[in-house]
Structure formats: structure tokens, C-alpha cells
Amino acid sequence: MTTVRKPLIAGNWKMNFDHLQALAFVQKIGWSLNDIKHDLENVEIVIFPPFTDLRSVQTLVDADKLRIGYGAQDVSQHGPGAYTGEIAAEFLQKLGAQYVITGHSERRSYHGESDELIGKKSAAALRQGITPVICVGETAEDLEAHGAAAVPLQQVTAVLAELPENPEVVIAYEPVWAIGSGKAATAAQAQEVCGAIRQKITELRGEAFGEKTRILYGGSVKSENIAEFMKQPDIDGALIGGASLKVEEFTKIAQFQKHITV
Ligand code: 13P
């Protein structure tokens, strides 16, 4: 299988950094990534700051011509209107956001988001030309009761059911037990589930969709383990939480190719 999928290294800041901290951080990341220009030709870097930082990040990325993409951590399923507290995909599109995270496990568990809602949010993003990064993953209890792949496959199936034909999406497999725990899945475990996800989406949406769609692993990724994940045939990148908040560590992760000796 010839892989045309461009590796994606994505930093989910979660609720960290106000807009002033974001400016300082992105500036540092920009300098740091400039030093590794060479690797960046083949690796896409995207950050996901809080909503309130996005305008500042946009201004800095534009002014300094930084080769960093950015997106939001959530989006409304609705278009603009009477939905207090929500943020429409239309607004994100105006801010130059190329991506939006949908269905992160923290939103699923703290805000009770269902697969159907996550599908609708993803569809709202797609209507504005924004690529949803759809998160799926099993809890420790799910793992115990059903094995690793069952819940992620069920979530992917339910979310895809809400999407139009041949959508441009990214899928992030994030086992809930691995998030923020320091206990990442092994590369083999992650490959097994990401491979099963690719098989499932191919079955549901055809060969071309399965072949083009990038699947990320997330959960306690750091510079020491990124290379192992990236060697796997069905893992096209990583969604990184804690380690994306440290300039040096995030830059090292972006340079994962240097650590790969196949
Ligand atoms: P950590 O990298 O901190 O485990 O977080 C992963 C995550 O939830 C990214 O979305």
C-alpha cells in the first residue's frame, strides 16, 4: 500500500494558556520549528488553543508567516443564532481555523456529548471547509469488558453516519486510560486499534476514503515514544496534550523522523 498521508503532529492545549501566554508560546514554537525547517516539509504541525486565543494566534501566524496550522477544541452543531455560549463553525472559518477537535473524551465525559452530537458538530465544521479531528477511544472499563477496539469502532461508525459522502476528516484514537496518565498504549496496541479503525471506515466509506483518511494516536505521547507510534502503518500522527505545552518537547516530537531507524 503506498501511503500518501502526510504525518500530522497536533497539540491540544486543552484549557491552558491565555491569549498573552499563547502569543509568547507560539512565537517560541515558530523560532524553534524554523530551526528544523528541513523536517517540516513533510510533517504538518497544528495547534489547538482555547477559543479566546485564536484571534491572537491567527494574527501572529499571518504576520510571521509561521508554518503552523491551528484549530479550535470544539464547535457548535448550529449555525449562528440564539445559542448562548456556543461558537459557530462560521466564526472559526473567519479566524482561519483549518481544523476542529470533536468528541474529545473530556467533552464526552464532562459534557455528556453523544456520538450523534459529535457527528453533527463534525458536519457543521465540514460545511465551512474545516476538517474535524474526531476523537474516539475506550475507557479502562470498556477495555476490560469489550477489548480495545469495540468502543472506538462503534463510535467511529456512529459519527460517520452523520457525515456527508467522502468527507475530509481526521480520526484520533485516544484510549481514555492513556490520557494524562503517563501510561501510553504500546505502539502495537495502538496499531491494532488504528488498523481496525481503518478497516472499518474502508468498509463503511470505500477504499479511497480508508486510504486517504489520517488516523492519529493520542494518550501520553512524548518525545521518547513518538517514533515507535509513527513507525506503525496505520498511525499517521499524534494528538498530544501535556507534552504540547512545552516548546522543547513539542519541537522534539515534531522531529520524530530523526528518531526513526527502520
Ligand atoms: P496527554 O498527551 O496529556 O495524555 O493528552 C492527550 C489528549 O487528550 C490529547 O487530546
Side-chain angles (χ1 to χ4, degrees), residues 146-179:
H146 317 287
V151 167
L153 292 183
Q154 185 194 313
Q155 292 170 331
V156 163
T157 305
V159 173
L160 274 189
E162 301 293 327
L163 304 188
E165 213 178 302
N166 200 22
E168 185 69 38
V169 303
V170 173
I171 295 168
Y173 167 55
E174 299 204 305
V176 180
W177 49 267
I179 295 177

Side-chain angles (χ1 to χ4, degrees), residues 12 14 101 104-106 135 174 178-182 218-221 239-243:
N12 174 11
K14 307 193 178 183
I101 295 174
H104 192 278
S105 73
E106 286 147 20
C135 300
E174 299 204 305
I179 295 177
S181 66
S220 297
V221 171
L239 185 55
I240 302 142

Side-chain angles (χ1 to χ4, degrees), residues 86-260:
E86 297 217 44
I87 303 289
E90 282 81 347
F91 306 159
L92 298 176
Q93 189 269 335
K94 284 269 161 45
L95 285 169
Q98 300 149 267
Y99 293 92
V100 65
I101 295 174
T102 56
H104 192 278
S105 73
E106 286 147 20
R107 295 213 59 88
R108 287 177 184 267
S109 64
Y110 305 147
H111 301 272
E113 292 197 4
S114 66
D115 290 319
E116 191 191 348
L117 175 63
I118 293 157
K120 287 188 172 17
K121 288 182 170 196
S122 304
L126 285 166
R127 283 195 291 276
Q128 302 307 317
I130 298 173
T131 302
V133 178
I134 301 163
C135 300
V136 297
E138 81 287 2
T139 62
E141 296 75 45
D142 294 332
L143 178 66
E144 179 96 350
H146 317 287
V151 167
L153 292 183
Q154 185 194 313
Q155 292 170 331
V156 163
T157 305
V159 173
L160 274 189
E162 301 293 327
L163 304 188
E165 213 178 302
N166 200 22
E168 185 69 38
V169 303
V170 173
I171 295 168
Y173 167 55
E174 299 204 305
V176 180
W177 49 267
I179 295 177
S181 66
K183 194 171 154 273
T186 64
Q189 280 173 326
Q191 164 56 29
E192 196 181 317
V193 179
C194 291
I197 290 174
R198 194 174 308 286
Q199 211 173 348
K200 174 55 82 180
I201 64 174
T202 302
E203 200 181 294
L204 291 168
R205 294 296 184 110
E207 195 76 37
F209 180 75
E211 179 76 13
K212 77 165 185 182
T213 300
R214 289 180 292 181
I215 303 178
L216 315 182
Y217 166 76
S220 297
V221 171
K222 42 189 189 250
S223 59
E224 293 97 78
N225 60 20
I226 183 70
E228 281 307 309
F229 290 117
M230 297 306 290
K231 275 191 217 166
Q232 308 305 315
D234 290 300
I235 300 181
D236 306 309
L239 185 55
I240 302 142
S244 76
L245 301 172
K246 298 175 200 139
V247 176
E248 206 186 320
E249 181 66 359
F250 192 55
T251 311
K252 266 197 205 157
I253 293 173
Q255 285 178 289
F256 68 88
Q257 278 158 328
K258 284 200 175 157
H259 314 292
I260 294 185

Side-chain angles (χ1 to χ4, degrees), residues 13 22-30 47 57 60-61 66 68:
W13 291 5
L23 281 173
F25 185 84
V26 173
Q27 211 147 34
K28 282 189 210 146
I29 283 280
I47 54 171
V57 169
L60 182 57
V61 165
L66 300 177
I68 302 176

